[in-house]
Amino acid sequence: MKLTLEQIAAAQKANLETLSGLTDQALQSIEKLIELNMHIAKQSLGESMNSAKKALEVKDIQQLLAHQAEAVQPMAEKIMAYSRHLYELAHETQASFTKSAEKEFHVGQKKMNALVEDWTKNTPAGSDAAIHAMKQAITSAANVFETSQKTVQHAVEVAQTNISNAASAIEKNIRSTDKIASKNSNQK
């Protein structure tokens, strides 16, 4: 079984197209991450300036404590929002790469099946066991790939659920802490 120059060139072209597609996906994700970080940096700078101005207006310790308590909840909420955005970006990128990998795997599997079929047409008599073993190996590889994809997908879903639950718990904790802090400052 020999590969022709045309087959080698076609395989190299397909690999180059795949690499180009994955590179584009990676660059889009990096671009989104940079946009998110720039937005956060601009927002944080403005909020820091406002907070610094308010801190300079503080006249006693109670005003300082109130100012600090006032700043904590929005900061915690922003950290949680940023974490969610990062997770969503990572999940989106992972899903995109997984989709590309699945596509390439299925294309490769079809090519391998076609190669085996071509090869089996020219095999000598008595090669049935070897042909069956090769086809079984290809089928097993496909099953392993599909099982691993399902396992990864399940792990991603579990992680997403855990992150959502953790975010909800933290948000509840922040709200209850904020309520306690506002009750304490009202009582003084």
Side-chain angles (χ1 to χ4, degrees), residues 16 18 37 61 67 70 90 93 100 130 133 139 149 155 159 177:
L16 185 60
T18 299
N37 286 334
I61 192 74
H67 172 67
E70 191 177 286
T93 302
S100 294
T139 301
Q149 286 299 100
T177 303

Side-chain angles (χ1 to χ4, degrees), residues 37-172:
N37 286 334
M38 287 301 295
H39 174 74
I40 295 297
K42 288 177 182 178
Q43 188 179 26
S44 294
L45 181 62
E47 290 171 359
S48 294
M49 289 299 147
N50 288 337
S51 182
K53 287 177 185 175
K54 286 182 181 178
L56 291 173
E57 296 171 0
V58 169
K59 294 186 171 95
D60 61 23
I61 192 74
Q62 285 195 313
Q63 282 182 340
L64 179 62
L65 293 175
H67 172 67
Q68 287 178 337
E70 191 177 286
V72 170
Q73 182 181 359
M75 186 184 310
E77 289 172 354
K78 286 178 183 146
I79 290 170
M80 290 303 300
Y82 180 74
S83 297
R84 273 193 296 267
H85 284 297
L86 284 179
Y87 174 78
E88 289 169 5
L89 179 59
H91 180 70
E92 178 182 306
T93 302
Q94 180 268 338
S96 178
F97 274 48
T98 299
K99 184 177 177 183
S100 294
E102 288 174 350
K103 178 183 171 192
E104 289 304 313
F105 178 79
H106 290 300
V107 167
Q109 186 179 17
K110 286 180 183 178
K111 286 180 183 177
M112 182 61 80
N113 286 336
L115 258 166
V116 169
E117 287 302 317
D118 285 346
W119 182 67
T120 58
K121 291 177 185 175
N122 300 320
T123 58
S127 302
D128 293 344
I131 292 169
H132 179 71
M134 186 176 288
K135 287 182 178 181
Q136 191 64 33
I138 292 169
T139 301
S140 294
N143 289 340
V144 166
F145 179 79
E146 287 178 23
T147 301
S148 65
Q149 286 299 100
K150 288 177 184 175
T151 302
V152 167
Q153 183 62 34
H154 178 69
V156 167
E157 289 170 1
V158 168
Q160 188 172 14
T161 300
N162 289 342
I163 287 173
S164 294
N165 290 344
S168 296
I170 290 171
E171 287 174 1
K172 285 180 184 177

